[in-house]
Amino acid sequence: MDNTDMKQIQWFPGHMAKTRRLITSNLKLVDAVAEIVDARAPMSSRNPEMDLLTKGKPRLVILNKCDLADEKATQSWINYFKNNGAEAVAVDCKSGRGVKNILPAVKNKVLAELMEKRERNGMAGAAVRLMLVGIPNVGKSTVINRLSGAKHAKAEDRPGVTRTKQWVKLDKSTELLDMPGVLWPKFEDQDIAVRLAFTGAISDDILDIETLAAKLLSFLSDGYPDSLRMRYKVEPEKGMTGFELLEAVGKKRGMMIPGGEVNTERAAIMVIDEFRSGKLGRITLEMPQKRE
């Protein structure tokens, strides 16, 4: 991904440093860790510090927002995580699709050895305690509310809503410790930062929306050209820059300003919003073989 003219993205609010300390200090209270990632960018939306922070605890990876991601790509990611020692499930927290598979995956696969040990020792009824982690805006709160059947967690479509830990009783045998979303101190790879910006994990306030939309359109032109043809009636031609695509989209949608110029800011806001809402189709921003 070309990062020309894209300023270095850094975003590490103080409450996220606090979250890192909360994770390590509360780890001893749980049996396993469930990490929620965005199915559109499964590797980029994983905190690279999490392996160290969770100190080898059994792990489940939950690929949320799978309804917005390329279905074949999501299956490839599930296979990738399983091949690398982590159980993985795909869910859509808004519709509830796949959410019922989370707890069975924890108890029957991730913690199978522990559950068998408890059975042998006459402790089969002991509650399973699960820590839930993930970067901002991956849908942790909505997943919790789906699992518990009630609105325990505040869910909003903006990063950084959950600010403190909270225990949630999911059923008679499962307790969940919800941790605030946590990014990391520095994005060494700006491609990761851009993917997170596409999905809304990083606040739009610190980004140039037109540059971001141009980069997204350039990516779609290469990987999902039909999304541009079907949604905007724009034919991506070889050599077109992201900004040229943005102007073409704005022109097709009649977003003009006096003087015959395209209102590229308005077009950019529309493109980013429509990507995030799934109106451009099911799109995955990265594939596992490119990360290996």
Side-chain angles (χ1 to χ4, degrees):
M1 192 181 297
D2 181 12
N3 287 316
T4 306
D5 297 326
M6 191 71 175
K7 66 181 180 181
Q8 294 290 299
I9 300 173
Q10 306 298 343
W11 192 54
F12 194 58
H15 75 274
M16 292 190 179
K18 178 183 177 183
T19 297
R20 297 162 79 202
R21 295 192 295 270
L22 278 174
I23 290 173
T24 54
S25 63
N26 286 277
L27 200 62
K28 61 183 179 293
L29 303 178
V30 301
D31 302 306
V33 175
E35 182 181 6
I36 300 184
V37 302
D38 191 316
R40 295 167 295 179
M43 190 61 71
S44 293
S45 58
R46 293 189 82 198
N47 188 324
E49 296 183 330
M50 202 55 69
D51 289 331
L52 179 62
L53 291 175
T54 54
K55 299 178 181 175
K57 280 277 184 178
R59 184 89 58 85
L60 173 71
V61 178
I62 301 171
L63 291 95
N64 192 26
K65 306 185 183 182
C66 68
D67 58 317
L68 300 176
D70 186 317
E71 197 168 10
K72 290 184 179 179
T74 297
Q75 187 56 54
S76 294
W77 277 108
I78 289 174
N79 296 336
Y80 169 83
F81 286 122
K82 288 184 176 181
N83 290 337
N84 284 275
E87 191 62 33
V89 295
V91 307
D92 168 19
C93 64
K94 287 193 174 180
S95 70
R97 174 188 169 194
V99 172
K100 65 181 181 180
N101 298 326
I102 293 176
L103 295 185
V106 171
K107 296 177 180 180
N108 301 332
K109 296 180 180 180
V110 177
L111 291 177
E113 188 175 333
L114 175 65
M115 302 303 285
E116 290 173 6
K117 181 179 178 181
R118 287 182 175 179
E119 182 75 30
R120 291 195 305 268
N121 295 335
M123 300 174 59
V128 168
R129 288 187 162 186
L130 183 67
M131 180 183 287
L132 192 66
V133 299
I135 69 169
N137 210 31
V138 288
K140 285 196 300 95
S141 298
T142 310
V143 167
I144 292 170
N145 293 335
R146 282 283 180 183
L147 286 171
S148 64
K151 291 189 175 181
H152 290 284
K154 187 177 182 181
E156 292 185 23
D157 190 21
R158 62 185 178 88
V161 172
T162 304
R163 292 298 180 93
T164 186
K165 69 175 185 178
Q166 61 176 338
W167 280 102
V168 179
K169 192 173 183 65
L170 301 183
D171 55 36
K172 292 181 179 179
S173 62
T174 315
E175 296 176 359
L176 186 147
L177 180 58
D178 178 28
M179 306 301 290
V182 58
L183 285 168
W184 45 103
K186 184 179 181 181
F187 295 114
E188 299 291 349
D189 184 345
Q190 287 295 294
D191 284 349
I192 291 176
V194 171
R195 292 185 195 106
L196 293 179
F198 288 160
T199 65
I202 298 175
S203 172
D204 291 333
D205 296 339
I206 66 170
L207 302 169
D208 178 82
I209 195 70
E210 291 166 90
T211 301
L212 188 64
K215 288 186 174 295
L216 177 58
L217 289 170
S218 182
F219 169 81
L220 295 175
S221 175
D222 292 336
Y224 294 88
D226 283 346
S227 66
L228 301 183
R229 297 186 184 106
M230 295 176 67
R231 185 66 185 173
Y232 301 122
K233 312 303 181 193
V234 167
E235 182 63 41
E237 299 177 5
K238 186 175 181 180
M240 285 185 77
T241 67
F243 281 102
E244 288 172 338
L245 288 167
L246 183 61
E247 287 185 329
V249 167
K251 191 172 292 184
K252 283 287 186 180
R253 288 297 178 91
M255 296 178 174
M256 310 301 291
I257 56 178
E261 295 184 9
V262 178
N263 188 335
T264 51
E265 181 179 6
R266 184 182 167 198
I269 292 170
M270 176 193 68
V271 168
I272 295 298
D273 285 347
E274 294 196 342
F275 165 74
R276 291 175 182 171
S277 65
K279 291 179 180 177
L280 299 184
R282 299 181 67 163
I283 295 165
T284 295
L285 300 170
E286 58 186 355
M287 292 296 291
Q289 57 264 33
K290 294 183 180 181
R291 301 294 305 187
E292 293 173 357

